[in-house]
Amino acid sequence: MPAHLARVGALAAFSGAPTLLIATLLHPLDADPNDPQAAFAEYAADPLWVVSHLGQFLGVVLLAVALLALADAANTEKARTWARIGLLGAAASVAAAAALQAVDGVALKAVVDRWAQATGEQQLRIFEAAFAVRQVEIGLASLLSLLFGLTLAAYGASQLLGAHAWKWLGWLGLIGGLGSAGAGIAQAYTGFSAAAMALSMGASSLTLLWVLLVGVFLWRLRGREGAA
């Protein structure tokens, strides 16, 4: 693969994982996300809501750039087949993440702000509107987690089938990807339940570690390609 692409992919991995982590830490986490009234009150009071969600989207975009470079590093026919599947999933994941952040980061914030300012019967009506937007968010979040998890699993399979010494990185991606897919299925059935969120947080932590290690892999590959 071109040394420049490996360099760009490595830098995207090194910047994307911290961006996604920091943006997620800025997200308010005190209220139970499966308790709409408590969650909406917390969201309405958060001045960094839009910033944190735009940051999450930027992190996903940077991760997709790293995955683009990783697909080009596949060096056997079987590895390239799975990398192409993963590349398709990465593009679809960016689109799904954009839709999720449009609903969660922008639309839901506008509705819960109006709900927090309203009173009486009007507040009840706006709450139902916010609850409906919340269900759309849950649907998008579950499908994004499922889609991105399957994408990572495809990249894990690609690395396992490649001709390089980093096959353990393939197992890590496969496990993290299947965990994210499982979290997506759990969210589809139970919303943002404690079990679904615990599975999601565990899989996300493993995924971020995998992305950073992919950055190291691509950076070392850049050095070899540059020398060649």
Side-chain angles (χ1 to χ4, degrees):
M1 67 180 298
H4 180 68
L5 178 58
R7 183 183 302 111
V8 169
L11 293 176
F14 292 145
S15 58
T19 298
L20 193 54
L21 176 61
I22 292 171
T24 301
L25 292 176
L26 289 176
H27 192 293
L29 299 171
D30 293 331
D32 180 358
N34 236 20
D35 180 350
Q37 191 161 6
F40 293 168
E42 186 177 49
Y43 300 166
D46 181 24
L48 299 177
W49 183 265
V50 175
V51 172
S52 65
H53 286 75
L54 292 179
Q56 286 180 326
F57 178 66
L58 176 60
V60 171
V61 171
L62 289 171
L63 262 58
V65 173
L67 293 179
L68 170 64
L70 184 60
D72 202 69
N75 54 11
T76 69
E77 187 58 37
K78 290 182 178 179
R80 282 191 288 270
T81 297
W82 284 100
R84 292 188 189 102
I85 296 172
L87 192 56
L88 178 63
S93 295
V94 171
L100 172 62
Q101 300 308 342
V103 171
D104 183 19
V106 180
L108 182 62
K109 175 61 172 173
V111 180
V112 298
D113 282 351
R114 289 200 63 183
W115 168 76
Q117 296 165 6
T119 57
E121 186 178 345
Q122 183 185 36
Q123 188 178 54
L124 293 176
R125 290 198 300 269
I126 297 175
F127 177 83
E128 292 302 320
F131 186 78
V133 175
R134 180 66 154 184
Q135 302 318 299
V136 176
E137 176 203 347
I138 290 173
L140 287 169
S142 66
L143 266 296
L144 172 60
S145 184
L146 177 60
L147 178 61
F148 194 65
L150 293 176
T151 298
L152 294 184
Y155 273 100
S158 174
Q159 289 175 297
L160 286 172
L161 295 169
H164 56 74
W166 289 58
K167 291 187 183 296
W168 57 268
L169 194 57
W171 285 113
L172 192 63
L174 190 61
I175 294 170
L178 293 178
S180 293
I185 294 172
Q187 288 175 4
Y189 279 98
T190 66
F192 296 137
S193 66
M197 296 308 293
L199 183 56
S200 178
M201 292 299 292
S204 296
S205 299
L206 188 58
T207 297
L208 290 179
L209 173 61
W210 180 79
V211 170
L212 289 173
L213 292 172
V214 164
V216 175
F217 171 73
L218 290 172
W219 190 260
R220 289 168 63 91
L221 191 63
R222 169 208 62 88
R224 290 198 296 271
E225 293 292 340

